[in-house]
Amino acid sequence: MALDELTEELARSAAAGDHRALGELLRRIEPHVLRHCARILPYHQDAEEACQDTLLAVARNIGRFEGRARFSTWLHIVTANCARTTYRSLKRRAAEQSSDELPTQKPDVARVSVIAGSRLDLLDAMEALEASKPDLAQALVLRDIVQLDYNEVAEQLGIPLGTAKSRIHQARKYVQGVLGEDYR
């Protein structure tokens, strides 16, 4: 989600309390955020929900953006977290409905594209990883979803480069184990 310098400047101004800059920033980033959410979530309406959640999170938390890294990096992290939270919320809502209304089994492969089904499996695997090893999940999200390079992952997490690489490797092995042989 490479953003231009004007967007980066708007983010710095918004973080400093400029409400006009915040409004313009949100308008400019919305299409980028929606595309990023659509890459994570399999259904467009879910991506739209995650996009709105992301924009709200940006508006609420822009004061926390310190400018140490680029705004686009910070936005990637917020977007990935909101998309994953949306997925968990949708899963929880589906589980709360009666089994007569909504099946609790995996989606029917005849009705869901291979890509969408793969994304659902990956989101489930990420959820399992986050539940058992959150430090590994955080590193994997930054590297494979947010697409930061290894140095940026280490910097964001405040850990040595070797530790970041190790966590990413361990997380990938865990996710591959959950997904099984078909996904290697």
Side-chain angles (χ1 to χ4, degrees):
M1 191 181 321
L3 301 173
D4 62 19
E5 285 307 313
L6 176 58
T7 305
E8 295 287 337
E9 181 56 39
L10 285 169
R12 287 188 290 276
S13 297
D18 183 341
H19 296 291
R20 184 204 57 76
L22 176 60
E24 178 65 16
L25 175 68
L26 294 174
R27 187 190 63 73
R28 289 178 67 94
I29 66 172
E30 184 176 11
H32 300 287
V33 170
L34 181 57
R35 276 194 302 277
H36 192 69
C37 289
R39 285 197 313 253
I40 297 170
L41 295 164
Y43 303 109
H44 187 72
Q45 66 194 46
D46 298 342
E48 287 176 338
E49 181 177 336
C51 177
Q52 292 304 309
D53 291 346
T54 301
L55 295 174
L56 184 59
V58 168
R60 286 183 177 160
N61 299 306
I62 192 67
R64 293 183 187 165
F65 173 63
E66 298 172 352
R68 286 182 287 145
R70 292 184 58 82
F71 173 72
S72 58
T73 302
W74 185 80
L75 181 60
H76 269 298
I77 294 165
V78 172
T79 303
N81 287 340
C82 285
R84 290 172 52 227
T85 299
T86 297
Y87 175 71
R88 284 192 297 271
S89 173
L90 293 168
K91 232 176 112 171
R92 187 177 52 255
R93 278 187 255 161
E96 289 170 357
Q97 293 181 0
S98 76
S99 60
D100 294 339
E101 295 175 33
L102 190 64
T104 57
Q105 64 207 31
K106 293 246 183 214
D108 178 9
V109 293
R111 297 179 53 207
V112 176
S113 75
V114 172
I115 293 170
S118 297
R119 283 191 218 160
L120 291 173
D121 291 343
L122 180 59
L123 287 167
D124 286 340
M126 287 297 299
E127 189 174 356
L129 175 64
E130 188 170 40
S132 65
K133 301 178 183 193
D135 55 327
L136 299 184
Q138 201 174 28
L140 186 66
V141 166
L142 291 173
R143 176 67 185 128
D144 289 355
I145 295 177
V146 177
Q147 298 178 335
L148 298 181
D149 67 34
Y150 290 103
N151 288 323
E152 291 172 315
V153 171
E155 183 181 322
Q156 284 291 322
L157 297 177
I159 58 176
L161 178 61
T163 303
K165 288 180 177 181
S166 175
R167 286 183 184 179
I168 292 163
H169 176 73
Q170 291 174 34
R172 286 174 177 161
K173 281 180 65 173
Y174 181 95
V175 168
Q176 285 177 340
V178 170
L179 294 175
E181 293 294 322
D182 294 340
Y183 290 94
R184 291 182 190 216

